[in-house]
Amino acid sequence: MILGDLIKKYRTEHHISMEQFAKKSGLSKAYVSVLERNYNPVNGKTVVPSLETIKAVATAIGMDFNEVIAVLDGNQNVKVYPSGISSQIGDVITNLEIEQYEKLLQIYKELSPARKKQLYEYAYALSMLEEKEKMSDDSTD
């Protein structure tokens, strides 16, 4: 399921218009339409909503942010994630509170390009260590 499907389902079940949903979510009616069609007429590509957009939709439909993330499938790309891990977004957000994630993202945005590269390399090294530890744990079982 993509975010637009979730919005359309909610609007249909609650008999509300796109404009009413837009007001409820704080999004523009045009953007709600773009989300539901999953097509951006400006660039001709599928929609890639931000975490803020997902959070606004979750609030509007009365669902927990993590629940919304969990129902989105791998076909729903989300801004701020490098390609290839968007299908894992639910695991990331479930294990890290959204406020912490937003703070981490804000810190990242304020770093110089050289520091961003260092952070990426450090995170990559940590992930390799994590993978090595997993493999070690698996071999001792």
Side-chain angles (χ1 to χ4, degrees):
M1 175 178 278
I2 60 169
L3 192 61
D5 295 336
L6 190 61
I7 294 168
K8 182 69 174 178
K9 180 180 177 204
Y10 178 84
R11 287 194 323 98
T12 302
E13 290 175 357
H14 291 83
H15 309 288
I16 64 170
S17 69
M18 210 176 274
E19 188 171 344
Q20 290 169 316
F21 186 83
K23 286 179 184 174
K24 187 172 184 162
S25 65
L27 303 171
S28 72
K29 179 182 173 187
Y31 191 52
V32 171
S33 174
V34 166
L35 287 169
E36 284 192 7
R37 290 181 291 138
N38 198 33
Y39 175 78
N40 186 334
V42 174
N43 61 20
K45 296 181 180 179
T46 57
V47 179
V48 183
S50 67
L51 289 175
E52 292 79 19
T53 298
I54 296 170
K55 193 174 182 180
V57 169
T59 301
I61 64 177
M63 281 180 74
D64 178 74
F65 178 84
N66 292 330
E67 289 177 273
V68 172
I69 291 295
V71 300
L72 298 180
D73 61 27
N75 294 326
Q76 178 68 76
N77 292 321
V78 179
K79 283 183 186 173
V80 307
Y81 286 97
S83 62
I85 67 165
S86 61
S87 64
Q88 300 172 13
I89 185 170
D91 294 335
V92 172
I93 297 300
T94 300
N95 295 325
L96 184 64
E97 294 296 321
I98 186 64
E99 293 82 15
Q100 292 170 318
Y101 181 78
E102 288 173 346
K103 180 65 177 169
L104 184 61
L105 185 59
Q106 185 59 39
I107 291 168
Y108 176 81
K109 287 178 179 178
E110 294 172 4
L111 294 174
S112 68
R115 294 289 186 205
K116 286 178 182 176
K117 183 178 180 199
Q118 282 181 313
L119 180 60
Y120 172 79
E121 290 169 351
Y122 181 70
Y124 182 76
L126 284 175
S127 72
M128 293 294 102
L129 284 172
E130 192 78 21
E131 188 173 310
K132 188 176 179 181
E133 288 172 2
K134 251 187 216 175
M135 290 173 67
S136 175
D137 290 345
D138 290 344
S139 67
T140 59
D141 290 340

